C-alpha cells in the first residue's frame, strides 16, 4: 500500500484502527508474559528471570522489557485494567507507572482500582502531571532524582561485580568488612586461609568467595535445551553438583554458583526424579 495515495481522512482513520489493534496486541502480549511467568519457562531456557528472557530471547531493550513486565504485574493484581487497555484508554507507560507506584506504596487492590479511575478522569497531559497525581493518590513523597553517568565496558563490569558483593551484605559486620577491604584494596595483607571440612554442608566464606570469583559473580546454569548460560547476577547461591544428601562433598570441584530461581528449578527436577 502506497500511503502517499491515501486521502487525508482515510490515513487518519487507518492510523486510529492500527492503534486499536496495537492496544489489543499489547493486552495479548502481556497475557502471554503472565503465562510464561506462571510456568517459569524462562528457567528451562537458561534465563534466571523473565526480564533476562525478554531482553535476550525476545529482543526487547532493557527499558522496554521492564515496562512490559511492570505492566504485566499490574494487570495480574488489577484485572479491571485489562478491558481499559484493550480499548486503548491505558497505555504501556501508564501501566508501568501504576505498578511502580503501587509497589512503592504497597497499595491495596482497592487503591489500584481507584488509581485507574483517577487516570480515566484526569485531564493531565504530561507524564510528570500524571505521576504527580498518582503519587498524591498513593500518598507517596515527591519523585526521587536519578543521576546517570556513562562508563566504559570495563568499568561497567567492575560495577556489576561490586553490586553483586553488596547484595551479600546482611548485617553491620559484613558491611564493615566490605568497606575495610575497599579502603585497603591496594594493600595485600598476608593471611592464612582457613579451609572448611568437605563434609560441611554450607560453603564457608573462603570457598564462597572462590566460587563467586570463578563464576565472575554470575549464575552458571546452562540450559540443556538452548545451551545458554543464565549469567544472572542476582540472588546467587552456592550449590552442590552432586547433591549433599547423595554424598556430594562441599569442595570447589563439586560446587557451582546458581541464581535462586535456577537452584530451585534443579531441586524441583531432582524431586520429580525421586532423588530427594
Amino acid at each position: 500500500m502506497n500511503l502517499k495515495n491515501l486521502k487525508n481522512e482515510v490515513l487518519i482513520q487507518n492510523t486510529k484502527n492500527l492503534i486499536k489493534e496495537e492496544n489489543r496486541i499489547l493486552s495479548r502480549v502481556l497475557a502471554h508474559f503472565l503465562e510464561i511467568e506462571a510456568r517459569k519457562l524462562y528457567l528451562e531456557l537458561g534465563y534466571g528471570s523473565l526480564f533476562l528472557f525478554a531482553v535476550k530471547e525476545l529482543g526487547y531493550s532493557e527499558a522496554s522489557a521492564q515496562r512490559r513486565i511492570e505492566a504485566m504485574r499490574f494487570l495480574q493484581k488489577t484485572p479491571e485494567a485489562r478491558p481499559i487497555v484493550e480499548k486503548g484508554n491505558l497505555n504501556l507507560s501508564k501501566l508501568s507507572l501504576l505498578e511502580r507506584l503501587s509497589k512503592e506504596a504497597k497499595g491495596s487492590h482497592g487503591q489500584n482500582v481507584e488509581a485507574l479511575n483517577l487516570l480515566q478522569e484526569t485531564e493531565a497531559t504530561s507524564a510528570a502531571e500524571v505521576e504527580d497525581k498518582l503519587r498524591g493518590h498513593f500518598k507517596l513523597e515527591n519523585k526521587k532524582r536519578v543521576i546517570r553517568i556513562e562508563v566504559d565496558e570495563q568499568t561497567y563490569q567492575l560495577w556489576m561485580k561490586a553490586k553483586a558483593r553488596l547484595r551479600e551484605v546482611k548485617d553491620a559486620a559484613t558491611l564493615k568488612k566490605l568497606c575495610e577491604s575497599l579502603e585497603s584494596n591496594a594493600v595485600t595483607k598476608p593471611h592464612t586461609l582457613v579451609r572448611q571440612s568437605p563434609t560441611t554442608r554450607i560453603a564457608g566464606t573462603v570457598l564462597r568467595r572462590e566460587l563467586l570469583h570463578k563464576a565472575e559473580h554470575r549464575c552458571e546454569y546452562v540450559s540443556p535445551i538452548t545451551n545458554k548460560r543464565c549469567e544472572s547476577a542476582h540472588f546467587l547461591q552456592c550449590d552442590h553438583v552432586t547433591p549433599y544428601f547423595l554424598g556430594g562433598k562441599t569442595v570447589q570441584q563439586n560446587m557451582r554458583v546458581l541464581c535462586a530461581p535456577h537452584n530451585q528449578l534443579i531441586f524441583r527436577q531432582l524431586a520429580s526424579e525421586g532423588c530427594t
Side-chain angles (χ1 to χ4, degrees), residues 46-114:
Y47 300 103
S49 66
L50 181 60
F51 174 78
L52 290 174
F53 170 78
V55 172
K56 296 187 177 182
E57 185 73 18
L58 302 183
Y60 284 113
S61 69
E62 292 185 354
S64 295
Q66 186 64 30
R67 281 196 297 270
R68 281 160 178 78
I69 291 171
E70 288 170 343
M72 174 206 76
R73 301 208 187 287
F74 189 80
L75 288 182
Q76 181 181 23
K77 60 188 182 185
T78 317
E80 291 87 347
R82 180 163 296 170
I84 303 175
V85 174
E86 292 176 349
K87 291 178 181 178
N89 296 328
L90 189 60
N91 60 33
L92 183 63
S93 296
K94 289 180 180 178
L95 269 175
S96 173
L97 178 62
L98 279 166
E99 170 59 17
R100 291 199 306 274
L101 298 183
S102 174
K103 182 178 180 180
E104 183 180 342
K106 298 180 180 178
S108 65
H109 176 262
Q111 286 178 307
N112 292 340
V113 173
E114 290 173 0

Side-chain angles (χ1 to χ4, degrees), residues 34-250:
L34 188 58
E35 187 60 26
I36 290 171
E37 169 74 7
R39 300 187 192 185
K40 306 294 183 187
L41 295 181
Y42 50 84
L43 291 176
E44 298 177 7
L45 297 177
Y47 300 103
S49 66
L50 181 60
F51 174 78
L52 290 174
F53 170 78
V55 172
K56 296 187 177 182
E57 185 73 18
L58 302 183
Y60 284 113
S61 69
E62 292 185 354
S64 295
Q66 186 64 30
R67 281 196 297 270
R68 281 160 178 78
I69 291 171
E70 288 170 343
M72 174 206 76
R73 301 208 187 287
F74 189 80
L75 288 182
Q76 181 181 23
K77 60 188 182 185
T78 317
E80 291 87 347
R82 180 163 296 170
I84 303 175
V85 174
E86 292 176 349
K87 291 178 181 178
N89 296 328
L90 189 60
N91 60 33
L92 183 63
S93 296
K94 289 180 180 178
L95 269 175
S96 173
L97 178 62
L98 279 166
E99 170 59 17
R100 291 199 306 274
L101 298 183
S102 174
K103 182 178 180 180
E104 183 180 342
K106 298 180 180 178
S108 65
H109 176 262
Q111 286 178 307
N112 292 340
V113 173
E114 290 173 0
L116 277 175
N117 295 333
L118 178 64
L119 281 183
Q120 300 305 298
E121 298 168 359
T122 184
E123 296 180 357
T125 54
S126 71
E129 289 175 333
V130 171
E131 181 167 351
D132 286 344
K133 285 186 176 294
L134 288 176
R135 282 188 170 275
H137 168 72
F138 284 112
K139 296 180 173 56
L140 292 170
E141 297 178 357
N142 292 334
K143 180 181 178 181
K144 296 179 180 179
R145 301 302 175 186
V146 177
I147 299 175
R148 300 183 184 277
I149 57 174
E150 293 185 3
V151 297
D152 57 29
E153 181 62 24
Q154 183 180 10
T155 304
Y156 175 76
Q157 293 301 329
L158 289 171
W159 166 240
M160 293 302 293
K161 290 181 180 180
K163 284 177 66 178
R165 291 192 65 186
L166 286 171
R167 278 191 287 272
E168 298 175 29
V169 174
K170 304 296 182 183
D171 51 45
T174 309
L175 178 60
K176 181 181 178 182
K177 288 181 180 179
L178 177 59
C179 292
E180 288 174 345
S181 68
L182 291 173
E183 184 179 7
S184 58
N185 62 349
V187 180
T188 303
K189 297 180 180 180
H191 60 280
T192 302
L193 295 180
V194 180
R195 295 291 175 180
Q196 68 183 82
S197 168
T199 58
T200 304
R201 180 170 186 171
I202 305 298
T205 303
V206 174
L207 179 56
R208 178 178 172 82
R209 187 184 301 124
E210 290 175 346
L211 291 170
L212 288 171
H213 177 74
K214 176 175 172 288
E216 298 182 337
H217 291 267
R218 301 278 179 171
C219 175
E220 295 182 289
Y221 178 85
V222 177
S223 168
I225 301 174
T226 63
N227 204 34
K228 289 181 179 292
R229 177 178 168 178
C230 170
E231 296 189 346
S232 171
H234 301 281
F235 308 110
L236 298 179
Q237 301 172 347
C238 296
D239 177 62
H240 294 78
V241 177
T242 299
Y244 182 80
F245 56 81
L246 294 180
K249 302 297 183 182
T250 308

Side-chain angles (χ1 to χ4, degrees), residues 15-29 68 85-86:
T15 303
K16 290 181 178 179
N17 292 339
L18 287 171
I19 290 173
K20 288 181 180 179
E21 182 63 23
E22 183 181 31
N23 291 325
R24 285 193 291 270
I25 291 174
L26 171 62
S27 180
R28 292 169 60 188
V29 167
R68 281 160 178 78
V85 174
E86 292 176 349

